[in-house]
Amino acid sequence: MIYLDYFATTPCAPEVVDAMLPWFTQDFANPHSTHGPGQKAAHAVEVAREHVAALIGAEAREIVFTSGATEANNIAIKGAARHVQRMGGERRRVITSAVEHKCVLESVKSLESEGFEPVILPVDRHGMVDSASLEKALSVPTALVSIMAANNETGVLQDIPTLSALARQAGAVFHTDLAQMAGKLPVSLEHVDLASVSAHKMYGPKGVGALYVRRRPRARVVPLLSGGGQERGVRSGTLPTPLVVGFGEAARIARGALTVEPERLAQLRDALWQKLRDGLPGSVLNGAKVPRLPGGLNFCLPKGVSALDVMAHLPDIAMSTGSACSAAELAPSYVLTAMGLPEAEASRCLRLSVGRFTSNAEIDRAAALLVDVARVS
């Protein structure tokens, strides 16, 4: 199997697995207990919190552990909007973009039943949000703006510093989904009030993530869960110590690799694209003219070649046509159609993503197989 779907998920790094194992059996105490074993687990949680915070340039006390980025996005969007409402604020507009992860889009849309006004900004043909469009939308008093840092299908990077500054100037809370970005490239939280992170996108375990909640100026959210008030009252529930420890270790490793890994992944990605472009004339790279994550490649196969057919003929290559969260849908990617691609064209697009364990030999083999299959399809 050649794994080229690192945007969907990553394998746990061996160091991460080793770090987690003792906390399943040997040191299994509840980290919220006051006895010795519980406090040992609590200390491990706090060390992990420090590593996650360091990765994104935050303070440890600004990190709230969640079950993943989906929960973090829900808390950020619904929680921030509801706080504005609870405090008697009159702002009811909630802005996001057409290419966000489904959990962001659905969270924003769900607020309409609570009296909020969802606004979905379009993107240009490269998948970028136009700052002028956001500025215009902000002319109506806005409670929250949520724009992802890096797209999970195309890898396109949004201009978060500019967009977040516009939101701050307009008095709106700004949230960004960092699930694809964190651990792959350095991030800046300037003007960002809330940010979501996922462990399984950076060689950590599934089932754990985090929400960054700015301390100064303080961002506030209404919690989604009622319970014991853990995680500073933002997210109640017993923390899964093994998963949190694994998340912390993954963040520590990712931070240390930020100086070299992006360049290596970009070289692998570019080598793959060069071979595909040479072997399949007429292929088109999506997001080619704007900044993208180093490891992602989303491209359109030549006319007459179906992406699903290519995938069916290459079961030994793990790849996708879009977000794993939308993989059950037969319709073309909503991200690509939002970028202006006709449905017929979007149905010819493949998403390939390389990662820490991808080799040059795998790139050569995958490219050769893809070219051979696509030529006869």
Side-chain angles (χ1 to χ4, degrees), residues 22-152:
W23 301 98
F24 282 109
T25 54
Q26 180 181 331
D27 298 308
F28 57 86
N30 189 321
H32 309 297
S33 297
T34 58
H35 49 59
Q39 291 306 291
K40 182 178 181 180
H43 175 71
V45 165
E46 294 312 310
V47 170
R49 198 186 306 276
E50 290 172 0
H51 287 315
V52 173
L55 177 65
I56 62 174
E59 296 180 32
R61 52 187 162 179
E62 295 176 312
I63 299 299
V64 172
F65 287 118
T66 67
S67 64
T70 290
E71 184 186 16
N73 286 335
N74 272 262
I75 294 172
I77 293 166
K78 297 173 183 176
R82 289 169 181 167
H83 177 75
V84 170
Q85 188 177 53
R86 176 175 292 185
M87 298 304 293
E90 296 181 357
R91 295 172 178 264
R92 289 294 180 270
R93 176 164 284 193
V94 179
I95 301 171
T96 190
S97 84
V99 295
E100 300 296 312
H101 191 278
K102 278 292 181 74
C103 68
V104 168
L105 287 168
E106 294 305 316
S107 292
V108 169
K109 291 175 183 177
S110 73
L111 287 169
E112 187 171 15
S113 64
E114 300 179 34
F116 290 91
E117 178 198 6
V119 173
I120 313 298
L121 297 178
V123 295
D124 63 21
R125 63 192 183 92
H126 305 299
M128 297 289 289
V129 173
D130 179 40
S131 59
S133 295
L134 175 59
E135 193 168 16
K136 181 178 179 181
L138 286 166
S139 63
V140 174
T142 299
L144 173 82
V145 177
S146 179
I147 304 292
M148 69 189 346
N151 189 267
N152 48 304

Side-chain angles (χ1 to χ4, degrees), residues 205-251:
K206 297 172 182 65
V208 64
L211 176 65
Y212 160 78
V213 183
R214 177 179 285 278
R215 182 168 167 264
R216 291 182 180 175
R218 189 173 180 182
R220 295 179 180 273
V221 295
V222 174
L224 299 186
L225 302 176
S226 300
Q230 292 94 337
E231 293 301 280
R232 298 169 180 82
V234 175
R235 201 277 187 180
S236 291
T238 301
L239 286 176
T241 306
L243 302 185
V244 170
V245 168
F247 188 7
E249 181 66 6

Side-chain angles (χ1 to χ4, degrees), residues 317-356:
I317 300 180
M319 51 187 165
S320 66
T321 57
S323 169
C325 300
S326 304
E329 299 179 7
L330 295 179
S333 161
Y334 69 90
V335 169
L336 297 180
T337 55
M339 292 167 59
L341 274 70
E343 289 195 2
E345 199 169 325
S347 68
R348 303 202 313 267
C349 293
L350 283 172
R351 179 184 74 169
L352 310 176
S353 43
V354 300
R356 187 178 298 170

